[in-house]
Amino acid sequence: MSANLTGHLLADDPALSPLTRALVALREEVVQAWMDAVRSAVPQAKELPLPILANTLPAYFDTLAALLTPGYPARVLNDLGAVASEHGGERARMTDYDATAVIHELQIFRDVLFRALHEHGVALGDGGHAAVSAHIDASIRESANAFTVVQAALREQFVASVAHDLRTPLSTAQMAAEMISHTSNDPNVRRYAEKIVASTQRIDGMTRELLDRIAFCKTGAVRLEIHPVDMTALMREVVLAAASAHPVELTLEREGIEGWWCGDAIRRVAENLVNNAIKYGAPDAPVRVTVSTTPERVQLMVHNAGDPIAPEDSESIFQLYRRAGSRGPGSGWGVGLPYVRRVAEAHGGSVLMSSSIDDGTTFVIDIPLDARPFAGAPSAA
């Protein structure tokens, strides 16, 4: 059930091929070696906190490994693209990377992976080696493209914010110049004042046109009040409340997964995902909630069986007031999922989504265990 999206495939899972199991057994070693190599080779990564440097790489590694199991669900290929895109998007929001750095670190990943396989005597064969290399090439494109798109969105937000803020002092200057023009007896003063009025009016018009073109979203940043939270206790409360309407199963990696988050926001995110899973999932199948961890990050996964989200809707459902077309007009997905993304990103994390006919729909919130250094991080949502 989408364990690849949290980086928790098991090396002894009999459903996986021997080759996939061999790769999964090397996950921690490869991820650590990759982080060390990236810190050494990518200048922008040298001072990154560990949870930001690690990003969604454990999920990426497991998804790549899963593709080496013949007959593994077809949706895994889509998962790989989604995880790669989230990797690039998080780099745009949380680091000083440029596109070259994003590409470089995934090239480093390929080198580290193949070196580890060679050292441990794991033979992919010519076909396997070519397939993994091709998937990594595709991931580099997906990640770099997402980085560019998110960076452009953040630039637009910044420009729109500055343009919006300029209008108040501009209006004040215009009113002051008009007052001078009406009250001064000096014709030169009036002439200069009229020029100021005309210029400020032109600037105001340009500013309004800029704001119209960008169509700036005025919802503002998500406000977080960070404090110690026991994620396991919080999720027990959410599941208990939801279970009165529909069976909900909770799986915990361990008790007492504690961290620093905005409890109210995380609760609302979890309630939103669980309620959506109940609403759109198969009525005869339970909703499954899982809480797990990777180094200095926590994953909250919500899964439901039933009709999948269409691939063309996989991004639009996270956009404000956009709904998944396959679910009918006015049926939902309007503001809840954009809020989910904004909260995850404001904690310095990401949202992963996987959906297929065979495996149902899974959402994963992947955030740092301690969000205090990243609270209020920019969001492209």
Side-chain angles (χ1 to χ4, degrees):
M1 185 192 67
S2 301
N4 58 288
L5 287 182
T6 62
H8 285 85
L9 288 183
L10 299 177
D12 58 355
D13 186 345
L16 302 175
S17 71
L19 199 51
T20 295
R21 294 200 298 270
L23 262 69
V24 171
L26 297 176
R27 182 201 306 121
E28 283 71 23
E29 177 182 332
V30 170
V31 171
Q32 185 60 56
W34 173 79
M35 290 193 294
D36 292 341
V38 169
R39 284 201 191 279
S40 175
V42 179
Q44 300 95 322
K46 292 185 185 302
E47 303 300 327
L48 285 183
L50 190 150
I52 301 304
L53 176 62
N55 198 296
T56 55
L57 199 78
Y60 177 77
F61 183 96
D62 276 15
T63 305
L64 185 65
L67 290 172
L68 296 175
T69 293
Y72 209 74
R75 56 100 186 151
V76 175
L77 187 58
N78 291 330
D79 289 353
L80 193 70
V83 177
S85 294
E86 286 300 325
H87 178 91
E90 189 168 320
R91 285 294 188 248
R93 292 181 289 101
M94 299 301 299
T95 73
D96 294 326
Y97 273 43
D98 53 24
T100 300
V102 174
I103 293 170
H104 188 192
E105 71 174 6
L106 290 177
Q107 291 172 330
I108 291 172
F109 172 78
R110 173 165 40 206
D111 294 341
V112 168
L113 173 62
F114 287 151
R115 184 166 57 250
L117 294 177
H118 176 73
E119 291 173 352
H120 288 271
V122 180
L124 296 179
D126 292 342
H129 190 284
V132 169
S133 189
H135 287 313
I136 294 175
D137 281 339
S139 298
I140 290 173
R141 293 192 294 271
E142 294 277 0
S143 189
N145 182 62
F147 176 89
T148 302
V149 169
V150 171
Q151 194 174 61
L154 294 176
R155 280 198 299 265
E156 285 189 352
Q157 289 182 14
F158 174 76
V159 171
S161 179
V162 171
H164 184 272
D165 292 344
L166 278 175
R167 298 194 67 193
T168 298
L170 196 62
S171 176
T172 301
Q174 181 177 328
M175 288 189 294
E178 288 174 345
M179 184 173 294
I180 292 173
S181 176
H182 293 320
T183 59
S184 176
N185 294 322
D186 187 325
N188 288 328
V189 171
R190 289 200 302 271
R191 187 169 67 254
Y192 290 137
E194 289 166 1
K195 287 184 177 181
I196 294 173
V197 171
S199 294
T200 54
Q201 288 175 337
R202 284 181 57 201
I203 297 172
D204 185 60
M206 293 164 60
T207 303
R208 283 187 282 107
E209 182 180 356
L210 177 63
L211 289 171
D212 290 341
R213 290 193 178 204
I214 294 178
F216 183 56
C217 175
K218 294 180 173 61
T219 54
V222 175
R223 294 185 178 182
L224 302 179
E225 295 184 4
I226 303 293
H227 53 84
V229 176
D230 183 339
M231 185 69 78
T232 55
L234 188 153
M235 289 312 303
R236 284 189 188 282
E237 294 174 5
V238 171
V239 167
L240 182 62
S244 62
H246 186 90
V248 183
E249 299 177 358
L250 176 62
T251 301
L252 304 176
E253 177 184 274
R254 57 182 169 81
E255 292 289 349
I257 299 177
E258 298 179 348
W260 290 81
W261 306 292
C262 178
D264 290 341
I266 295 296
R267 180 188 300 276
R268 183 175 169 189
V269 161
E271 290 173 344
N272 194 294
L273 291 178
V274 171
N275 290 337
N276 277 346
I278 293 173
K279 183 176 181 180
Y280 299 114
D284 56 347
V287 169
R288 293 185 171 88
V289 178
T290 305
V291 182
S292 59
T293 62
T294 52
E296 296 198 29
R297 292 176 74 108
V298 65
Q299 296 81 39
L300 165 61
M301 182 165 67
V302 178
H303 171 269
N304 65 268
D307 294 337
I309 296 172
E312 61 269 22
D313 291 325
S314 61
E315 179 58 30
S316 65
I317 57 173
F318 290 107
Q319 298 172 11
L320 199 62
Y321 308 126
R322 295 286 298 276
R323 295 180 172 89
S326 63
R327 303 203 169 205
S331 63
W333 302 117
V335 297
L337 287 177
Y339 177 79
V340 168
R341 169 171 277 182
R342 290 167 71 86
V343 168
E345 293 181 348
H347 280 82
S350 295
V351 181
L352 303 172
M353 190 276 289
S354 176
S355 191
S356 69
I357 294 175
D358 294 331
D359 296 306
T361 298
T362 301
F363 287 90
V364 177
I365 307 300
D366 190 336
I367 58 177
L369 278 170
D370 186 351
R372 286 176 294 180
F374 321 114
S379 171

